[in-house]
Amino acid sequence: MVTPTPLEAELLEIAGAVPDPELPVLTLRELGVVRAVHAHGPEAVEVELTPTYTGCPAIEAMSLDIERALREHGVRDVSVRTVLAPAWSTDDITDEGREKLRRFGIAPPRVRHREGPVTVSLGPTHTRPAGVRPETATASDPAQDPVCCPHCGSADTELLSRFSSTACKALRRCLACREPFDHFKEL
């Protein structure tokens, strides 16, 4: 990885501070989608942006917001390039971003405990195996880890819909406090 110049680091901070258009509680840096800024002189930059998934409808809004923020900072020529490799993963969300999601009422994606692809299984809609108490449930696969309620912290939750307000979130309900909540799905 190439170390950014001081100018590139400064511009990366500005681009990364742009709020996500679908989840304005997060910045693009916290979401982990702004990959790099390459300066081509003091007035021309190229920003590398990775969408959360290939068909993400927010990528155009993100690009325009980044261009606007950098132009307001005095950069005349801004281009935003979509970069698909390496693919974005929910592992790219910063710890600060995960905490902001939780405080906003969205269960953050579970952290993967190993490298490689995320296994997908269609099974029970509860986040813990039947008969296992939430406080004793442990697993190394995030698909088996409980999705905890961002309101009360209970691991006793159920899936209501695999899709919520955006394709990257699922709708769940806590069986302890009965509150519905979004869960940012793992990718």
Side-chain angles (χ1 to χ4, degrees):
M1 185 170 170
V2 177
T3 303
T5 67
L7 175 61
E8 290 170 336
E10 177 186 352
L11 297 176
L12 183 60
E13 283 296 316
I14 293 165
V18 169
D20 178 73
E22 293 179 331
L23 290 167
V25 68
L26 293 181
T27 65
L28 298 181
R29 179 192 61 79
E30 292 162 342
L31 187 58
V33 296
V34 176
R35 299 297 178 147
V37 171
H38 304 287
H40 305 289
E43 295 186 8
V45 298
E46 177 185 66
V47 179
E48 292 182 1
L49 181 65
T50 299
T52 55
Y53 63 98
T54 305
C56 178
I59 196 75
E60 186 176 338
M62 288 179 194
S63 297
L64 292 172
D65 290 346
I66 289 170
E67 288 175 18
R68 186 177 309 110
L70 291 173
R71 285 195 178 110
E72 286 173 1
H73 191 70
V75 180
R76 290 180 12 165
D77 183 16
V78 180
S79 65
V80 179
R81 184 169 59 97
T82 301
V83 177
L84 301 178
W88 179 86
S89 160
T90 51
D91 293 343
D92 295 329
I93 299 175
T94 65
D95 290 341
E96 180 182 6
R98 290 170 189 278
E99 183 55 33
K100 283 185 174 181
L101 285 171
R102 189 176 292 103
R103 285 194 317 260
F104 192 66
I106 298 173
R110 294 164 290 192
V111 178
R112 295 190 312 163
H113 300 289
R114 64 177 193 272
E115 294 295 317
V118 174
T119 56
V120 176
S121 61
L122 301 177
T125 59
H126 289 278
T127 60
R128 61 182 170 84
V132 175
R133 296 171 49 107
E135 62 274 8
T136 62
T138 60
S140 61
D141 182 359
Q144 300 302 317
D145 289 345
V147 174
C148 294
C149 174
H151 306 295
C152 74
S154 173
D156 196 8
T157 65
E158 68 180 343
L159 180 67
L160 296 177
S161 174
R162 295 200 186 279
F163 297 97
S164 185
S165 58
T166 62
C168 52
K169 292 185 293 202
L171 182 61
R172 302 190 72 84
R173 176 177 49 211
C174 177
L175 298 174
C177 72
R178 306 301 290 170
E179 287 292 324
F181 64 91
D182 281 339
H183 168 231
F184 202 113
K185 297 184 279 191
E186 295 77 24
L187 292 177

